[in-house]
Amino acid sequence: MTAPAAAPLRERFDRVDALRGAAMLWMAAFHFAFDLNHFGLLEPRQDFYRDPLWTLQRTAIVSLFLFTAGLGQALALDAGQPAARFWRRWAQVAGCAVLVSVGSALMFPASWISFGVLHGIALMLVVARFAAPLRAGLWPLGAVAIALPHLVQHPFFDTRWTNWVGLVTRKPITEDYVPLLPWLGVMLWGLAAGQWLLANRRGVLAAAAPRVAQPLAALGRWPLTFYMLHQPVLIGAILAWRYVS
């Protein structure tokens, strides 16, 4: 009697996980500085909304997150991810986005988050999923998405009900804002890069991450959990420190 064949091992892309983990740590450090500033513990006081030291960091962090999300979609499609699993994961992201809106409304009632990074990712994942068959066409489509907000703005898109598109004439007053445009372009480029690498340079993604990056790879496998927990933990630690001191 022949023994049953062993199930194929799932390919592990540690390098992508490590890249995502690096973005997560950078985000946590950025938010820790923001929290210290918010509670008056950072001297001199910082302007996180206008100072390029902070605004450029935010742009880089969000870009890295969305690019790795695009890479992740390429890996999932290459592995034959079924639609049911995609939508289950999407529901988790969308549900957490709702929780972020509720939590931010309690902490920042005048500038609560109606369309932040999780809201943006939820919408962009759907667009990326359906756009994936374009393959090389994702590069120019991404470029159009990135360029469009610089070419087209209209007051119609300035309300909370419409600013998710991104064609605003002014940045809304909110603690986090990641609209579809231009950020969809970054995710599409990540998807396109992942598809090209998988087809032509698979080893770049599939090779093991260096030992020093393994902790980042482990962290990078839990992005949603980390995102939802890191701010309550940081803020709780700051409040506890203020209380005991």
Side-chain angles (χ1 to χ4, degrees), residues 19-232:
L19 188 62
R20 188 185 300 111
M24 292 160 63
L25 279 187
W26 192 359
M27 173 191 68
F30 181 92
H31 282 163
F32 185 58
F34 178 90
D35 295 338
L36 289 174
N37 193 65
H38 176 74
F39 288 107
L41 300 175
L42 197 61
E43 293 293 341
R45 292 280 295 180
Q46 300 293 305
D47 187 347
F48 278 76
Y49 304 101
R50 298 178 185 85
D51 189 339
L53 172 66
W54 303 107
T55 58
L56 291 177
Q57 279 194 74
R58 179 189 179 275
T59 298
I61 293 167
V62 175
S63 297
L64 188 54
F65 256 114
L66 294 178
F67 190 83
T68 55
L71 286 175
Q73 279 301 291
L75 300 179
L77 290 167
D78 181 73
Q81 181 191 56
R85 184 171 180 180
F86 169 81
W87 288 112
R88 185 163 58 248
R89 182 61 173 173
W90 179 88
Q92 293 173 348
V93 175
C96 287
V98 173
L99 291 178
V100 167
S101 290
V102 172
S104 67
L106 295 174
M107 189 168 182
F108 304 101
S111 57
W112 63 282
I113 300 169
S114 59
F115 205 83
V117 65
L118 289 186
H119 306 74
I121 287 176
L123 179 56
M124 292 174 214
L125 284 175
V126 176
V127 177
R129 181 85 175 188
F130 286 102
L134 295 176
R135 301 191 70 83
L138 294 171
W139 292 108
L141 183 61
V144 170
I146 291 172
L148 201 57
H150 301 285
L151 304 174
V152 180
Q153 304 94 33
H154 194 278
F156 172 79
F157 297 103
D158 287 341
T159 73
R160 280 198 183 268
W161 295 105
T162 57
N163 64 23
W164 60 268
V165 177
L167 303 180
V168 296
T169 62
R170 63 182 184 277
K171 185 180 181 299
I173 300 173
T174 177
E175 296 303 316
D176 190 25
Y177 179 55
V178 183
L180 184 68
L181 303 172
W183 295 106
L184 173 64
V186 180
M187 183 180 287
L188 292 181
W189 279 358
L191 174 58
Q195 290 177 335
W196 187 89
L197 288 169
L198 288 168
N200 300 280
R201 299 286 189 276
R202 194 178 188 91
V204 172
L205 297 177
R211 179 175 296 181
V212 68
Q214 286 299 322
L216 288 176
L219 177 65
R221 293 171 197 140
W222 302 92
L224 191 57
T225 301
F226 183 89
Y227 185 89
M228 294 302 294
L229 293 180
H230 81 283
Q231 273 289 62

